[in-house]
Amino acid sequence: MTSLDKPTDNTSADDARAVTEAALFEAFGGVRGMVETVLPGLLFVTIFTINKDLHWSAIAALAVSLVLVVVRLVMKDTVKHAFSGVFGVVFGVVFAMFTGNAKDFYLPGMLYTLGLALAYIVTTLAGVPLIGLILGPVFKENLSWRKRNPGRKKAYAKASWAWGLILLAKCAVLFPLYWWADTTQLGWVLVALKIPPFLLAVWLTWVFLAKAPAPIDVFAEMEAAENAARAEEESASPGVGGRHRRDG
């Protein structure tokens, strides 16, 4: 395969962008995934702002998370984004109930964000950028980009740096607020910071990958190899039979 820094014509450029957009939509859940990510926390901080009741706020957040999962199941849609939201809410509820501090509802998610930021940076420094591990299977290239597609590996590294630094910047805002602000202030800032940093990271990922060489479809390669081997066997079998007949 000849790797190019960018597609050679407008059609291939449009195809590359379309494939990248579809893969990002699948990997990160699109608009619906964002709603499922934001809604539980938004409901929690709204109810807590009104009545300052930790228990009702937690119950409402957990209930809406479960409803989102049920809706996904009924529609026979993928539930990974909704389930991730449920787990996040459950951990938040457990933390908050255990400490009695409503602010701790947000702590597991904040720690997860910090851990994810460090994972993006560390894996990139190790030469295996995390965004490539996430998107490789979606693009049907698996890990082929590591050795066979250096231009694509470079794009994944840039995207992973973008995710890591954006998430670190988000943490730099949230953790001081965790110590200094009250629950409602922290909650509203956290809700406000849910979508914009995410959209920025996704957009930068799209920019880097749209200009990168096309992914190597390793599944298609394996299928082609199997078909070639099967065709070779089938073409060899009549020859062997014919030779036996001639020898006889």
Side-chain angles (χ1 to χ4, degrees), residues 115-195:
L116 189 58
L118 295 176
Y120 276 116
I121 293 172
V122 170
T123 55
T124 304
L125 292 174
V128 193
L130 181 58
I131 199 70
L133 300 179
I134 295 172
L135 294 181
V138 179
F139 282 111
K140 300 180 181 180
E141 61 182 334
N142 285 350
L143 296 178
S144 62
W145 49 267
R146 288 195 63 201
K147 302 291 187 180
R148 302 172 56 193
N149 207 341
R152 197 156 182 85
K153 180 179 179 181
K154 185 177 180 180
Y156 279 139
K158 290 179 180 179
S160 290
W161 274 115
W163 278 91
L165 294 176
I166 289 170
L167 292 179
L168 279 182
K170 181 178 176 180
C171 291
V173 174
L174 293 179
F175 276 96
L177 287 176
Y178 174 80
W179 296 108
W180 302 332
D182 60 30
T183 301
T184 56
Q185 291 171 334
L186 174 62
W188 286 112
V189 171
L190 197 147
V191 168
L193 289 179
K194 276 284 186 180
I195 301 303

Side-chain angles (χ1 to χ4, degrees), residues 15 27 31 36 48 58-59 70 72-73 79 86 93 101 130 132 151-152 157 172-173 181 188 194 203 207 222:
D15 290 344
V31 175
E36 292 171 343
F48 191 84
I59 290 171
V70 171
R72 288 267 191 176
L73 291 173
V79 296
V86 168
V93 168
N101 184 357
L130 181 58
R152 197 156 182 85
V173 174
W188 286 112
K194 276 284 186 180
W203 178 75
V207 169
M222 289 188 291

